[in-house]
Amino acid sequence: MLPEDANTPPKHPSPPKIYLAIMSPFLTPDTFHIFCLTLIRFVHLLLLSAERAWALAMHIKSTHAADAGAKGIVGPTKTHIVSRFQKANTYASHLVNLLLEIDGAGAALLEARAYQQSLQGAIAFEKGNWEQCLRRYAETRLLYTALARSAGAKQDDLFKDLLSNTIDPSIRYAAYQSKLPRTLTIERIVARYVPRENNSFVEEALRLFPDLLQESGTAGRVDAIGHLADIPRTITWRTRTVNLEDATTAQALASVAAAETELRSFLAANQNLDRRAKAAAYDGVLLPSQDAVDATKTAIDELSADGVPQDDPRMQSLQITRTAVNYNLIEWRVGRNRVLCGPQDGALFESESVKKSKKPRADGKPRDEPEESNGRKLARLRERVVLYDSAIQSLDSVKEFPGVAADEAFVNELDAKRAYFSSLRLQDESSDSAAEDVPKLELRLSQAKSLKDLLERSVLQHRALVELEQLSAATAPSSNFKAPPIVERLDEYPAEGVDLTNLVTYPPKFQAVPVKPIFLDVAWNYIDYPGRPKKGSSKAVDGSRKNATPNPEPKKEAKKGWFGFGR
């Protein structure tokens, strides 16, 4: 415990006078601090006081960071920063001592101890006492790991951010200043430096989780949230296999492997998801892949700052690792773009379904299926062009990585993949067809052949369209006279060529058409039809009528049919 200074708060916080007036007959020196703890506001007072002092120290550091030289912040400013950290540590230590006298404090006591040890680690960090800094931060990480595993999945992100953003970088830097090997993982450093003797807090954490300090070598590790992940020792790029010189990179690659397995399982179980939901699942792999890239670059920069030459074996291994992790990141980025383009990388283009309005029509009839607008189609085409451009730019950047330019076979492979995406970019019509389960950058021969056939068909189609356009321009009439359609002049030979724009009348117009043709019965007077009286009987009847009738009527003229034929 650090000695108290002039800024040390009183041994016990003072409750308001009204509480003292009420409780003074019942309070003793032994129960006074317990009474303070029964009021949650005084616990918050201690925490806020500690946080205030810590925040002031961090503000001073950030303010003078730009003005600090090669030696960092020195002089009175450094002393002021350390005094603020000591004041925050005093408040935190007081809270731990109060919680120790309460039965059943449990997780609250462990959390207060972890917080207090992190402040002591910050003090040792500012003073440059790296071994003491490792011991304090090792206990802090151990306790927070135990709290994370006991809290469950609800607080995974909270503890994970705390460890990855604050604790782990401090441990890694202190290990670097202590000249520890870079191949040591954070877990091994914690297991080596955590104080176990006469430390009831560490004993309690190990009693709850005995595997917290487990060193599994090459088998695996338990991370901050309790998941087991394999840590690789080597990495293979093309035909070369090198050792992983940086433990942070190895941990990031282990996270990438676990994320890849999770992604494959997710996509296999949710094959009916839309392309945007599938692409969003790739973020779980892209984030740790980017962490691996950043960790490798940081390790190379640190070696360069130490004056390590480029021909050093460690530097050579890190350069190969850098190429491998960068190419792996690009593979997953391009794979996500392929998913967004649609199956078969968007080689064909079809209209997407548009959501039908649920509101019924005024006349009660069902609504027709709405068609996708031209503006939306153009927007989708532009989006795919951007995705293809991103894939092409990513492939171009691979050639800048160390060792790629000398690998002729790999460069030819990159050129072939670039040509594939360039062909897709220049393709005017793209649509959806099936591809692989979890697309990355790898292409199959069948995909290239399918794209080749599609492009050949597209070329023939556009050649035919150009030919039709040229024929239409050649056969266009020179005057405003509009001849009847070809379908109405099939008995005429088009000496000047066929007008392909005037094949039929479209849309059809209303016009008269023959429905009932005229039949000319020229044999009416020469055929005896059933039911028709014969000519002789007709004359006999007419003669009898003439004899019987004294005053015959004048003979009427016989009716004639059409075209002068009698009936």
Side-chain angles (χ1 to χ4, degrees):
M1 191 71 63
L2 295 175
E4 297 183 357
D5 57 5
N7 295 320
T8 303
K11 187 174 182 180
H12 301 293
S14 300
K17 294 182 179 180
I18 185 172
Y19 284 97
L20 291 177
I22 297 175
M23 300 298 297
S24 56
F26 309 100
L27 294 179
T28 64
D30 297 333
T31 59
F32 179 78
H33 59 282
I34 299 179
F35 166 72
C36 294
L37 286 177
T38 58
L39 302 176
I40 193 64
R41 68 176 64 185
F42 298 115
V43 176
H44 290 169
L45 178 62
L46 290 174
L47 290 175
L48 291 175
S49 299
E51 283 293 293
R52 179 185 178 185
W54 176 86
L56 179 58
M58 297 303 295
H59 173 70
I60 297 173
K61 284 187 65 175
S62 62
T63 302
H64 293 80
D67 302 333
K71 295 183 180 181
I73 302 175
V74 294
T77 303
K78 188 76 168 182
T79 304
H80 192 192
I81 293 174
V82 173
S83 69
R84 295 304 92 191
F85 279 131
Q86 289 176 343
K87 184 175 182 179
N89 173 67
T90 303
Y91 282 109
S93 300
H94 184 60
L95 178 60
V96 172
N97 293 332
L98 292 178
L99 291 175
L100 279 173
E101 301 186 20
I102 296 182
D103 296 333
L109 178 59
L110 290 180
E111 188 172 0
R113 173 69 176 184
Y115 178 66
Q116 184 251 344
Q117 288 296 301
S118 67
L119 293 173
Q120 289 195 2
I123 296 173
F125 189 96
E126 295 298 328
K127 291 182 176 181
N129 190 347
W130 304 117
E131 183 176 357
Q132 186 71 9
C133 178
L134 286 174
R135 292 182 180 279
R136 299 302 184 186
Y137 276 125
E139 182 177 351
T140 301
R141 194 182 195 281
L142 181 74
L143 296 179
Y144 275 134
T145 302
L147 290 170
R149 296 176 64 177
S150 62
K154 294 182 179 180
Q155 297 184 4
D156 278 355
D157 294 338
L158 176 63
F159 286 103
K160 187 176 180 180
D161 292 342
L162 178 63
L163 293 178
S164 61
N165 296 333
T166 305
I167 308 300
D168 288 353
S170 301
I171 294 176
R172 180 58 62 190
Y173 186 79
Y176 168 74
Q177 294 292 342
S178 301
K179 308 299 182 182
L180 295 179
R182 296 180 183 275
T183 54
L184 284 179
T185 62
I186 297 292
E187 287 75 17
R188 289 194 172 188
I189 296 175
V190 170
R192 178 181 298 185
Y193 284 92
V194 65
R196 308 185 193 183
E197 297 180 359
N198 301 325
N199 194 329
S200 60
F201 303 99
V202 174
E203 293 176 359
E204 178 66 17
L206 293 177
R207 185 186 66 81
L208 296 175
F209 303 100
D211 58 344
L212 282 178
L213 297 179
Q214 177 183 0
E215 295 189 34
S216 53
T218 59
R221 69 178 176 92
V222 177
D223 61 11
I225 55 177
H227 299 297
L228 187 64
D230 294 331
I231 297 183
R233 291 293 182 182
T234 60
I235 187 171
T236 301
W237 168 248
R238 305 290 289 174
T239 58
R240 297 192 59 180
T241 301
V242 297
N243 295 325
L244 289 172
E245 298 293 338
D246 185 63
T248 306
T249 304
Q251 292 178 354
L253 290 177
S255 302
V256 171
E260 289 179 4
T261 303
E262 185 177 354
L263 175 62
R264 296 180 190 277
S265 302
F266 175 79
L267 294 181
N270 301 274
Q271 297 182 359
N272 296 328
L273 287 178
D274 64 327
R275 55 189 176 90
R276 296 189 182 277
K278 290 182 179 180
Y282 275 68
D283 292 341
V285 179
L286 292 174
L287 293 178
S289 298
Q290 185 63 53
D291 293 340
V293 172
D294 296 339
T296 306
K297 184 179 182 302
T298 301
I300 293 175
D301 294 341
E302 290 176 354
L303 285 181
S304 300
D306 293 342
V308 177
Q310 292 294 327
D311 56 355
D312 187 271
R314 294 176 298 170
M315 185 67 76
Q316 293 291 325
S317 298
L318 283 174
Q319 293 290 358
I320 295 175
T321 303
R322 177 191 174 191
T323 301
V325 297
N326 275 279
Y327 185 73
N328 183 66
L329 174 62
I330 288 176
E331 279 190 314
W332 286 110
R333 282 179 178 173
V334 175
R336 182 184 60 178
N337 292 349
R338 294 175 65 186
V339 171
L340 287 173
C341 290
Q344 200 176 332
D345 307 328
L348 300 174
F349 189 80
E350 296 177 353
S351 298
E352 290 186 349
S353 59
V354 182
K355 187 177 180 181
K356 186 191 297 186
S357 177
K358 297 182 179 180
K359 185 177 180 180
R361 290 177 48 172
D363 55 3
K365 296 181 180 180
R367 291 184 177 273
D368 298 333
E369 290 292 337
E371 296 183 357
E372 187 179 13
S373 63
N374 292 333
R376 186 173 178 180
K377 291 180 181 179
L378 289 174
R380 289 200 293 124
L381 283 173
R382 294 192 186 101
E383 178 185 357
R384 292 187 180 184
V385 169
V386 172
L387 295 175
Y388 295 144
D389 286 338
S390 175
I392 293 172
Q393 293 174 4
S394 299
L395 289 172
D396 291 339
S397 65
V398 174
K399 298 180 180 179
E400 302 175 1
F401 297 152
V404 173
D407 194 342
E408 184 177 356
F410 184 60
V411 170
N412 293 335
E413 179 183 341
L414 290 176
D415 291 339
K417 293 176 180 178
R418 189 186 190 283
Y420 176 81
F421 288 103
S422 298
S423 301
L424 286 173
R425 186 188 182 282
L426 297 175
Q427 174 70 4
D428 291 335
E429 297 185 6
S430 353
S431 161
D432 304 338
S433 310
E436 49 197 295
D437 294 337
V438 185
K440 289 178 66 177
L441 186 52
E442 297 299 326
L443 301 176
R444 295 196 297 263
L445 181 60
S446 58
Q447 292 176 316
K449 289 183 178 179
S450 176
L451 179 60
K452 178 184 176 183
D453 295 339
L454 178 63
L455 293 175
E456 289 178 350
R457 293 195 300 268
S458 180
V459 169
L460 292 176
Q461 178 187 6
H462 287 81
R463 283 179 178 175
L465 291 175
V466 171
E467 185 69 19
L468 288 175
E469 184 178 356
Q470 291 177 352
L471 290 175
S472 300
T475 58
S478 58
S479 63
N480 295 329
F481 172 74
K482 187 68 173 179
I486 297 297
V487 71
E488 299 180 7
R489 298 183 288 115
L490 296 178
D491 57 333
E492 299 178 6
Y493 177 75
E496 298 179 356
V498 179
D499 184 7
L500 298 178
T501 62
N502 193 24
L503 296 178
V504 295
T505 301
Y506 187 84
K509 299 180 180 178
F510 287 100
Q511 58 183 353
V513 295
V515 178
K516 296 180 179 179
I518 301 174
F519 294 96
L520 302 179
D521 194 355
V522 297
W524 173 267
N525 297 327
Y526 303 96
I527 298 177
D528 294 334
Y529 293 98
R532 177 186 177 190
K534 296 183 180 180
K535 294 180 179 180
S537 60
S538 176
K539 291 180 180 180
V541 173
D542 292 340
S544 62
R545 287 181 179 177
K546 288 178 181 180
N547 297 331
T549 305
N551 296 321
E553 296 179 1
K555 185 177 180 180
K556 297 180 180 180
E557 185 179 358
K559 295 182 179 180
K560 296 182 179 181
W562 290 356
F563 305 102
F565 297 100
R567 288 187 175 242

